[in-house]
Amino acid sequence: MRKNFVEELRWRGMLAQMMPGTEELLQKEMVTAYLGTDPTADSLHIGHLCGIMMLRHLQRCGHKPIILVGGATGMIGDPSGKSQERNLLNDETLRHNQECIKAQVAKFLDFESKDDNAALMVNNYDWMKNFTFLDFAREVGKHITVNYMMAKESVQQRLNGTARDGLSFTEFTYQLLQGYDFLYLYQHYGVKLQLGGNDQWGNMTTGTELIRRTLGNEVETFALTCPLITKADGKKFGKTESGNIWLDRNRTTPYKFYQFWLNVSDEDAERYIKIFTSLEKDVIDALVEEHKQDPGRRVLQRRLAEEVTVMVHSREDLETAIEASNILFGKSTKEALERLDEQTFLDVFDGVPQFEIDKDQLGQPAIEVLTAAAPVFPSKGEMRKMVQGGGVSLNKEKLTDQNRLITAEDLIDGKYLLAQKGKKNYFLLVVK
């Protein structure tokens, strides 16, 4: 008896809508299902993770996942949930983005499996690039009425003036293109189920309708969606003040990625640990119970941050992120500081007061550098007092002599000096 995919999604809070008969089909046979993603960047961000996790659970329940990279549709843009048309990409950029995305998704899905349910990645540009407009109008356009397309909520929103620019013909045809993907995948790969976010429901049902009208009423295909993930306060999930949280370490460092999950609210942690990890129900229930006993320990957030960081990056990256977190909040050493790459170092000390000093000011006593060159201390008297009391550190090493010379040898990455007053007051000196 295969594991029930729908039941798995249901208890995890990952099921929004599905067409009648979907669950029965999944229990009856190994189902090939696909989920589409647009290659508009060379990395996915955590807003894509719910869909990717759906495919992961699908494969673990014995079914075959296909991820469709929308090379053709990415050249157009989908009006669902968007108020503006998106930028169009060229072929070279699309191919590059596709390869980067596959490398990321390979951490969640098994593309190398010898079993029948090995994951597959396809690009709709491959079957759309030679499809002429006349062929498309004849083979696809004739089956779906404008009335049917106009009734879709995503189209209505754009037409009724909730968006500034109206709806271009290009975007209007998007649901036909997505519908044709489903038809093509059914015919060539035996795909019977499309997965996606709940904002895609209209496009997905257009696909099942197109298949029925093209191939006959006896052909049954299905659609299933996950809810759009939000934060407890209703705001968009995955966005921070500095923008998206990316899966690519060059866009979002593993430290910053780890910190994002570590800092979610208790309520969100309880939802997210079900959605964004593969932990079983009994493990999660026990973690939730443990968290409730002592919320201050942040058991849920720590486990969530650990699981997702290891899955997206690696165990080693997790350990580095934890060590980097301890630099601010726990005991740490100069060696730990020096182990950080520059971007992570800057991420750790993001938001602490920074002072620029000229490299000519190196070679002076610490008391000059930390009062005159950079006003870490308002006066030399105050600094002397704090040094005597053991309350001043440079690069995590206690400063015992205020007249000790600060030299280029002291700099981290050849340009940073970290001063600390007491336990929690940090200052970053940047040598120019």
Side-chain angles (χ1 to χ4, degrees), residues 264-281:
V264 300
S265 69
D266 289 355
E267 193 181 332
D268 285 337
E270 196 172 324
R271 284 169 52 233
Y272 295 169
I273 201 162
K274 294 173 186 168
I275 297 169
F276 298 112
T277 78
S278 299
L279 295 173
E280 296 295 342
K281 190 173 188 307

Side-chain angles (χ1 to χ4, degrees), residues 38 73 76-82 84 86 154 158 171 174 178 199-200 203:
D38 270 331
T73 34
I76 290 173
D78 172 12
S80 304
K82 309 279 190 316
Q84 287 180 308
R86 67 166 58 133
S154 60
R158 290 292 290 269
E171 289 180 295
Y174 188 93
Q178 188 169 331
D199 59 337
Q200 292 292 314
N203 292 342

Side-chain angles (χ1 to χ4, degrees), residues 13-229:
M14 294 172 74
L15 183 64
Q17 298 185 76
M18 62 178 172
M19 291 174 63
T22 306
E23 190 165 7
E24 292 75 4
L25 174 78
L26 285 155
Q27 286 298 91
K28 190 175 74 184
E29 62 188 72
M30 185 189 89
V31 175
T32 303
Y34 90 98
L35 176 133
T37 187
D38 270 331
T40 42
D42 61 2
S43 172
L44 300 174
H45 53 73
I46 58 174
H48 296 106
L49 268 187
C50 186
I52 302 299
M53 290 304 291
M54 283 172 90
L55 289 177
R56 181 177 171 88
H57 293 308
L58 180 91
Q59 190 172 34
R60 288 163 72 109
C61 290
H63 304 289
K64 184 178 180 73
I66 294 183
I67 183 156
L68 178 142
V69 173
T73 34
M75 287 179 158
I76 290 173
D78 172 12
S80 304
K82 309 279 190 316
S83 56
Q84 287 180 308
E85 222 173 313
R86 67 166 58 133
N87 296 332
L88 311 184
L89 305 175
N90 63 31
D91 189 24
E92 192 185 344
T93 307
L94 286 167
R95 292 291 176 195
H96 167 74
N97 291 356
Q98 177 186 337
E99 288 312 306
C100 295
I101 289 167
K102 182 168 184 181
Q104 290 179 341
V105 176
K107 294 181 176 180
F108 295 83
L109 305 178
D110 185 357
F111 287 91
E112 307 300 323
S113 172
K114 298 286 183 280
D115 295 330
D116 292 342
N117 72 329
L120 192 64
M121 178 177 266
V122 295
N123 188 333
N124 61 10
Y125 184 67
D126 294 334
W127 58 82
M128 292 305 300
K129 64 185 174 195
N130 298 321
F131 206 174
T132 68
F133 182 76
L134 290 175
D135 287 341
F136 187 79
R138 192 175 58 208
E139 290 179 34
V140 181
K142 72 174 186 185
H143 291 293
I144 301 289
T145 66
V146 169
N147 309 46
Y148 179 86
M149 293 169 73
M150 294 282 281
K152 299 291 180 184
E153 193 183 341
S154 60
V155 173
Q156 286 293 319
Q157 283 174 348
R158 290 292 290 269
L159 285 177
N160 294 339
T162 46
R164 262 195 336 231
D165 304 328
L167 181 70
S168 71
F169 174 73
T170 307
E171 289 180 295
F172 183 56
T173 56
Y174 188 93
Q175 59 176 294
L176 289 184
L177 289 169
Q178 188 169 331
Y180 182 72
D181 284 341
F182 200 171
L183 172 61
Y184 183 92
L185 290 171
Y186 174 81
Q187 290 175 312
H188 294 82
Y189 295 93
V191 172
K192 291 185 181 177
L193 173 64
Q194 184 179 174
L195 307 174
N198 209 27
D199 59 337
Q200 292 292 314
W201 182 255
N203 292 342
M204 291 161 75
T205 50
T206 298
T208 59
E209 187 65 12
L210 178 65
I211 291 167
R212 191 180 65 76
R213 292 185 187 185
T214 306
L215 302 177
N217 288 338
E218 65 284 357
V219 176
E220 284 195 296
T221 50
F222 302 87
L224 180 154
T225 62
C226 63
L228 296 179
I229 311 299

Side-chain angles (χ1 to χ4, degrees), residues 41-45 96 100 103-104 107 242 244-257 312-313 317 341-344 346-347:
D42 61 2
S43 172
L44 300 174
H45 53 73
H96 167 74
C100 295
Q104 290 179 341
K107 294 181 176 180
S242 54
N244 286 321
I245 301 291
W246 299 90
L247 306 196
D248 182 336
R249 63 191 308 121
N250 297 316
R251 287 170 174 256
T252 301
T253 60
Y255 165 77
K256 217 166 191 176
F257 186 85
V312 170
H313 294 293
D317 285 320
D341 63 85
E342 185 177 4
Q343 189 52 58
T344 303
L346 291 174
D347 283 347

Side-chain angles (χ1 to χ4, degrees), residues 312-331:
V312 170
H313 294 293
S314 69
R315 173 70 54 186
E316 190 185 354
D317 285 320
L318 169 72
E319 284 161 9
T320 303
I322 292 171
E323 184 175 56
S325 303
N326 290 339
I327 288 171
L328 267 186
F329 304 112
K331 299 211 180 304

Side-chain angles (χ1 to χ4, degrees), residues 353-409:
Q354 291 193 16
F355 302 110
E356 283 188 9
I357 65 170
D358 203 282
K359 63 171 178 285
D360 296 344
Q361 291 167 301
L362 294 174
Q364 296 187 63
I367 197 156
E368 292 295 334
V369 174
L370 299 182
T371 56
V376 172
F377 291 91
S379 70
K380 291 180 178 178
E382 186 182 317
M383 180 169 164
R384 277 193 200 96
K385 207 181 290 176
M386 272 201 93
V387 170
Q388 284 161 5
V392 181
S393 296
L394 284 180
N395 296 339
K396 286 288 176 184
E397 291 180 335
K398 213 165 271 309
L399 183 67
T400 52
D401 175 10
Q402 70 249 12
N403 292 316
R404 152 162 138 47
L405 300 183
I406 304 286
T407 68
E409 298 288 304

